[in-house]
Amino acid sequence: MLKGILEGIVLALLSLRPAYGYEITARLKELGFSDIAEGTVYALLVRVEQRGLVDVEKVPSEKGPPRKVYSLNTQGQEYLEEFWKTWGFLAARLQQLHPGGQ
């Protein structure tokens, strides 16, 4: 379940603007997700690319090889909308279970 949540968070970040792997990891850390390893993010990006949820553009880098910049495509946007619906449903049910949460 956490893997699906992280995937949704990364896609939500990409819905704001295109980004490369290290930049996504840095944004996650800024948002308080400091325990997420950079390798986890790169593996997730490979998965969402293979599933056709993002477009990838290789952009020249000042240092080293070109960077892969990920952007959310139409299929990814549809997936993200479904993620938010599911998340809203789960959050509402959890709130009902929380003492004093109603």
Side-chain angles (χ1 to χ4, degrees):
M1 183 185 242
L2 183 58
K3 186 192 309 183
I5 292 170
L6 181 58
E7 189 173 272
I9 292 168
V10 168
L11 292 177
L13 288 174
L14 291 174
S15 74
L16 301 174
R17 71 174 195 251
Y20 56 94
Y22 179 79
E23 186 178 13
I24 293 167
T25 302
R27 283 200 232 159
L28 288 169
K29 289 183 191 289
E30 288 171 8
L31 292 169
F33 296 99
S34 56
D35 292 342
I36 297 172
E38 197 171 331
T40 302
V41 173
Y42 283 106
L44 185 149
L45 289 170
V46 168
R47 283 195 306 274
V48 296
E49 180 182 0
Q50 289 173 343
R51 291 174 51 208
L53 302 177
V54 295
D55 292 329
V56 180
E57 180 183 355
K58 289 194 176 186
V59 176
S61 173
E62 295 174 11
K63 306 172 191 172
R67 291 181 174 155
K68 289 174 91 173
V69 176
Y70 298 85
S71 59
L72 197 64
N73 60 25
T74 304
Q75 188 174 338
Q77 185 62 46
E78 291 170 2
Y79 181 91
L80 183 58
E81 288 170 18
E82 191 60 37
F83 167 81
W84 286 125
K85 287 178 192 172
T86 302
W87 179 253
F89 174 82
L90 288 172
R93 295 312 165 277
L94 287 170
Q95 192 65 29
Q96 289 177 345
L97 292 171
H98 186 267
Q102 295 182 350

